[in-house]
Amino acid sequence: MTTLAPTPISNTPQTPGSLPSSLKRSYEESEINDGHDQDASKRPRVAFDDNVDVRVFGGEDDSKPLEYIRDEVKRGLEIHLAKEKNNIMSEDEIYLQLVELFRAPATSDDAPSTTKLRKYLQALMAHVNSLDRVCSQLVHAVTDMQWLGRDEGFVGLFRQFLTLLLSAHGGCTGSVIKMLVKNFRGIPTSAGQLPGSPIVSKEQMSARLHATLRYLLSVLPSAGSVLSTTLSRLYPPSEESKKVHVNFAHQVLKLTEYAPELKSDILSTIVDRLIKIDVEVQVEMDRMDEDIEDSGILDTDDDEEDEDEDDDDMSDISLTEDEERIKNLRTSVSKIDAIMEILFTYYDSQIRFANDDDQSPTPEAEDTMEALLSLFASAILPKHRSRHTQFLVFHFAQRCPQFMDWFEGAAAHLTRDRTGTALARTNAADYLASFIARGKRIDASHITSVFDLLLTQCDELRDLHFRNAGPHVGAIRPDKTRYGLYYAYIQALLYIFCFRWRDLVTNADALLPPLAGEDDNIDSTSNDTNANPNANPNGNTNNGASSEHRPDLSEILEPHADDLRWARRSQPRMAEHVYGPLNPLKVCNAGIVQQFAHVGRATRFLYVYPLLSNNRKVRLHAGMGLGGSGLAGADGGGRLGAGVAGDESAGTGGGEAKYQLEAYFPFDPYLLPRSRKWLEGDYVEWTDVELWEDKVKQAAEEDEEEEGEDGEEGGEEIQDNERVEEAGGDEVPPEAEGQDKDTHVQRG
């Protein structure tokens, strides 16, 4: 019986239906005789020119019968498999033509039509079991073809082909998933504008992409684990453009809608890569000499999303090294800002409440918050220099009292976890203190509870160190290496006190009026019925608050300072630590110590200026911090106490800064311009307090300037002392006079 051996089909249309036997015979003979002359009377009416390079995809031969294409594909695969099996080195023409058919660029002039591709794809589906490893070239050609911009019928057929392929050959799962995930970087508009096909929008192509992934995940359980690994491997590196990062983040979050089992891995991957960029940017910002806000790094650019944003900019040739660094930083900041906006929006859609009045979260919201706190502990907390990513937890933990308790409980547990490293426990204390200090919606009960918790842990650590010292307790000297965790907890308490001292006063409502602008700020920025009017003890929460609204603590406290009652014996307990042998004010960050002394004096909490003066005579041990734990890293800039670790006025020599703690508190100012709107009503900005003696000093300086202009010199010191005496205050200690507000006050 004669075997049919199909050959490439010419561009001349054939009549649908079965081919005449004479035509079958002529095709067979042309294949077997390899182009030898035949009798003219036996030649078919369709003649082939041996000098023409005939290809399968040539022209628009869409009328070729499907049955013939099936035989052609079958014969091509049989020949290829036999050749591979027997190591035959002959030409594999039909197989190679099939590969070229699917590889042909969809936008080229001689590209095969969708109709032709559909027929060949149908033919391949009948032989999908034969597409094993030796046919990988053909498989990749098919899976890599442009399919998203073709008609719905072809897309459905392609999806069916992928399903059959992966069912028969599980080893192809990785390459197919990789092909699909690569489209997450962004689908070009041209992919939906193929010749001879209707225009398909990006939104339609994205929907088709996810419909295909959804179907594969539903019928192939093993595809889920492969997809998770592929997402992590193909996630854009930090140097990729903002456009690619935004596209990828949007697409992977859409995956969570139909693959909830991958939600944890997906969010972990996004946050992990975001933190990497965040830390890189923070390191560069720390190296900058100029002010961050004046540098233009935080400026928004509405043209950043242009299609051609990745094109080379010839103007970059003329940039200096510093200008190039600023430009790259601005791009990275914009990238972080865009991803944070995406994540804020995503979590906001997931965290909903059954009743807006009682703030009762739905079960879905509770699950999402639990997952976010788990992500905080595993991915965010260990990254010591992250600047913005952690504000996801900061914002959503304040959505209701239940979530506040959860976050505070999680952080407090980590501070007491003896199985954790010193760095992990220190970071947890920093997060807990910063959350309490900066969270505007946190009420007094939470503040006093956390303050008492940290103070109790300080008591326990101090007692432990005293027991270890035995009879040599009196010989204990301040040493960050040996007592680093203790000092970190004390510094956390100092930081909380500077921001929230008012909430530590049990009779504040009876004795103290609201601070200037406090009520207005609460009303104008907060939409939370649980917002506490006492949540902002140090001033207004608006960025760039003017100095005319700074609270004058001397005027507020003078009549009542001695009558203040401090919650849970916090005043005498803090005094035991501050004046104890471990001498924490020598090791804690100088800027925070300065501010604590400033506020502590105004509130009559503690008067520590004599201790600071005495500390100038104390020299710290040349310790190694916490070994390799990284406790003494670089500060984040713009933080309370940043940049003055070696300030003489705080009792340290310039060379001792490395033996002191850094001023790192993770919820210090949020700088990103677009996504910062999510923190409206959440955040307590730092506003410096103004003391009576500061006013006296300022008035004296103004008088000196006026007298200098009039040519009158001398007597200034006498006038200073007279003004202090008239004010009824003590002479300003040298340590306080040496304070430079601009160096230690938090930039808000």
Side-chain angles (χ1 to χ4, degrees), residues 692 696 699 703 718-730:
W692 197 341
V696 173
D703 286 347
I718 296 175
Q719 292 176 3
D720 268 4
N721 292 335
E722 288 176 351
R723 291 180 182 275
V724 172
E725 291 173 0
E726 291 173 2
D730 299 328

Side-chain angles (χ1 to χ4, degrees), residues 21 113 218 232 380 396 456 575 586 691 704 728:
S21 58
S113 68
S218 66
S232 179
I380 298 177
F396 290 104
T456 299
K586 179 63 180 178
L691 299 182
E704 289 177 6

Side-chain angles (χ1 to χ4, degrees), residues 96-234:
L96 294 178
Q97 288 176 345
L98 288 173
V99 173
E100 289 184 31
L101 170 72
F102 289 104
R103 277 184 178 173
T107 56
S108 63
D109 294 336
D110 57 350
S113 68
T114 298
T115 301
K116 174 177 283 189
L117 289 174
R118 180 185 292 109
K119 291 181 178 179
Y120 276 91
L121 191 59
Q122 285 179 296
L124 275 177
M125 290 172 63
H127 305 284
V128 71
N129 289 333
S130 300
L131 300 178
D132 56 10
R133 181 179 55 82
V134 298
C135 295
S136 60
Q137 190 179 19
L138 177 59
V139 170
H140 285 298
V142 175
T143 57
D144 292 341
M145 65 181 293
Q146 293 194 37
W147 58 279
L148 288 171
R150 301 188 185 276
D151 59 58
E152 287 287 355
F154 185 88
V155 172
L157 184 68
F158 186 80
R159 186 179 302 141
Q160 186 179 358
F161 170 79
L162 293 180
T163 305
L164 293 175
L165 176 67
L166 300 188
S167 298
H169 307 286
C172 296
T173 304
S175 61
V176 170
I177 295 295
K178 181 179 179 181
M179 175 273 296
L180 296 172
V181 171
K182 280 184 175 180
N183 288 289
F184 286 1
R185 296 170 57 87
I187 304 173
T189 304
S190 59
Q193 299 175 349
L194 303 182
S197 298
I199 294 178
V200 182
S201 67
K202 285 187 175 183
E203 291 73 18
Q204 289 175 297
M205 289 187 286
S206 177
R208 292 173 172 183
L209 176 65
H210 284 283
T212 301
L213 265 173
R214 183 199 301 252
Y215 185 73
L216 292 179
L217 291 173
S218 66
V219 299
L220 301 169
S222 62
S225 60
V226 177
L227 177 57
S228 178
T229 304
T230 304
L231 289 174
S232 179
R233 189 171 66 252
L234 295 185

